[in-house]
Amino acid sequence: MADKLSAVKGMNDILPPDSARWEALEASVRDVMRLHAYRNIRTPIVEPTALFIRGLGEVTDIVEKEMYSFEDRLNGEQLTLRPESTAGVVRAVVEHNMLYEGPKRLYYMGPMFRHERPQRGRYRQFHQIGAEALGFGGPEVDAELILLACALWRAIGLRDVRLELNSLGQPPERLQHRAALIAYFEQHTDHLDEDAKRRLHSNPLRILDSKNPAMKALNDAAPKLLDFLGSESLAHFNAVKAILDANGVAYTINPRLVRGMDYYNLTVFEFITEQLGSQGTVCGGGRYDYLIEQIGGKPAPAVGWALGVERVLELLREQGAQSSEVVPDVYAIVAQTDFLPQVLPVLQQLRAMGVSVQMHAPADSAAGMGSMKSQFKKADSSGASFALIFGADELALGQVTVKSLRDGQGAQRSEILADISHWGHSLQSPL
Ligand code: ATP
Ligand code: MG
């Protein structure tokens, strides 16, 4: 046998039965997005590297050290596996002139790639679900997006995620704060770690986003952006808070919350849990009113969030959420391979009625279908509610035996194949 190959470090296979949790989450997302009139967008996984450098900012964790970038071997183009999706969505919106007809509410789901140290809740291929509202400048859409996330938590039964809120103000306010921040950190240069020293003059706000616990005390005492906001920025922030209050959404203000990308302004927020150790942020987002322009579009405001699917599912599991097992309604037991041409159309008819059917099939066709006993065993372990038994006697009479596998008694009855439209539906489990 050839050597075994394994998946790339930090990139996970999602296997059954666990994949059922993913499907359930995705189904809830589709429902909640439809209820809020957000429509699906799907953009490529590979984008020009320049999109992320321009979009996320040169001095960010992602662009500095986390991107999977490579050169197209034919034309030398610099390409990157997307580390997040907002930049790609904005590129698509600009490229297809989507805001021409008015603002857009969009959502996406898919894999993202970041070269990080793999640990619980932190992978190199991970998945995000995100919502973006483009072309809206008012605080009510910031609030709508937060309420949308809360609706999703309710729909999937997620508890105990707390909302943190901050405002990053507008560029002139940021500039004033930046000067104060540099002055402050310059007084404490011996307490700065390597990243912070490097970022002191290039992007001091990023120092506040540090994951280094040794930087915490220093960051906690740093000048707060909130204290530099002018009246317009404050009014926007207060309006978002008022809508959340009116909707009974609890939050805390975290003046230290800056988020990992440079594109944010005004409202930023994170949903955080204490139940996942240090990878506690399950969802983060905010307003990015200057990104569209930066990516070459006509200036337009926008706001959005992204959640980490692995973290959300891990938290659900941590909270004891059960996933419903995916089992067929019916397991078809077929006495001989040469009955299959006659049996298959019956199974197709059942499926067309919404009955899920697993057909017994031999691993090795030379060995035939196997004994009825071994087929019954497989039917039992499949989790199906019923076995349909296609034996020689049944088929000779144009009949099939329906045996209940879950009632404890194994009740059996005969049904006429020609009358399938009458009894077929009774095999379907209630959804
Ligand atoms: P963190 O501070 O944990 O590194 P981040 O600020 O880099 O997160 P965002 O870029 O805001 O994260 O992405 C939104 C969400 O995606 C995060 O809140 C998290 O749930 C998830 N996420 C980000 N990076 C990873 C990763 N490497 N593995 C798994 N999930 C991730
Ligand atoms: Mg990160």
Side-chain angles (χ1 to χ4, degrees), residues 12-242:
N12 301 308
D13 298 310
I14 298 151
L15 311 174
D18 200 42
S19 51
R21 292 179 182 268
W22 288 69
E23 290 188 304
L25 172 63
E26 288 156 9
S28 297
V29 167
R30 286 192 192 98
D31 282 348
V32 172
M33 294 297 174
R34 189 181 50 80
L35 288 175
H36 291 76
Y38 281 66
R39 299 200 298 172
N40 188 227
I41 182 166
R42 302 172 188 222
T43 60
I45 286 172
V46 178
E47 294 276 3
T49 303
L51 173 67
F52 302 112
I53 298 178
R54 243 207 273 171
L56 314 192
E58 216 143 349
V59 187
T60 55
D61 279 351
I62 293 180
V63 172
E64 277 185 337
K65 47 195 175 199
E66 296 173 358
M67 294 204 302
Y68 281 91
S69 298
F70 58 98
E71 195 180 282
D72 183 301
R73 74 165 94 178
L74 288 182
N75 62 12
E77 233 184 314
Q78 297 300 318
L79 303 174
T80 292
L81 301 186
R82 64 182 183 195
E84 57 97 65
S85 236
T86 300
V89 167
V90 168
R91 181 208 39 75
V93 162
V94 169
E95 187 168 337
H96 304 287
N97 212 3
M98 287 172 68
L99 296 183
Y100 180 74
E101 320 148 0
K104 285 276 177 298
R105 292 175 164 93
L106 303 171
Y107 80 93
Y108 60 81
M109 320 194 207
M112 309 294 156
F113 302 83
R114 297 185 192 177
H115 206 284
E116 304 200 67
R117 194 170 65 77
Q119 53 198 290
R120 183 187 189 201
R122 196 175 289 288
Y123 310 100
R124 290 182 174 173
Q125 174 172 332
F126 64 101
H127 298 75
Q128 287 185 336
I129 292 168
E132 318 278 2
L134 305 111
F136 298 97
E140 52 289 330
V141 177
D142 308 26
E144 172 182 284
L145 274 159
I146 293 174
L147 293 171
L148 168 58
C150 294
L152 182 60
W153 309 149
R154 274 196 302 280
I156 62 176
L158 194 76
R159 304 182 308 269
D160 307 328
V161 280
R162 116 186 116 65
L163 171 62
E164 288 193 352
L165 212 55
N166 192 21
S167 174
L168 298 182
Q170 298 288 20
E173 297 155 355
R174 292 261 281 270
L175 222 55
Q176 285 190 345
H177 172 252
R178 177 192 158 101
L181 210 53
I182 292 176
Y184 168 80
F185 283 127
E186 275 180 338
Q187 289 170 356
H188 300 93
T189 36
D190 27 332
H191 293 99
L192 298 181
D193 64 12
E194 282 312 308
D195 267 349
K197 279 190 186 132
R198 206 162 29 81
R199 290 168 170 183
L200 178 55
H201 292 280
S202 55
N203 195 341
L205 194 66
R206 272 285 77 74
I207 300 178
L208 299 179
D209 193 39
S210 170
K211 292 197 168 60
N212 181 358
M215 291 288 300
K216 185 169 184 312
L218 189 65
N219 279 341
D220 280 348
K224 300 185 176 74
L225 232 169
L226 273 182
D227 295 330
F228 290 78
L229 299 193
S231 57
E232 267 186 50
S233 295
L234 277 176
H236 187 103
F237 195 40
N238 289 333
V240 174
K241 289 190 285 182

Side-chain angles (χ1 to χ4, degrees), residues 62 84 114 116 121-124 126 128 211 259-261 264 270 279 281-284 306-308 310-311:
I62 293 180
E84 57 97 65
R114 297 185 192 177
E116 304 200 67
R122 196 175 289 288
Y123 310 100
R124 290 182 174 173
F126 64 101
Q128 287 185 336
K211 292 197 168 60
R259 313 272 309 119
M261 290 72 127
Y264 290 109
E270 286 187 350
Q279 267 60 252
T281 304
V282 296
C283 175
L307 66 79
E310 284 82 356
R311 290 187 197 178

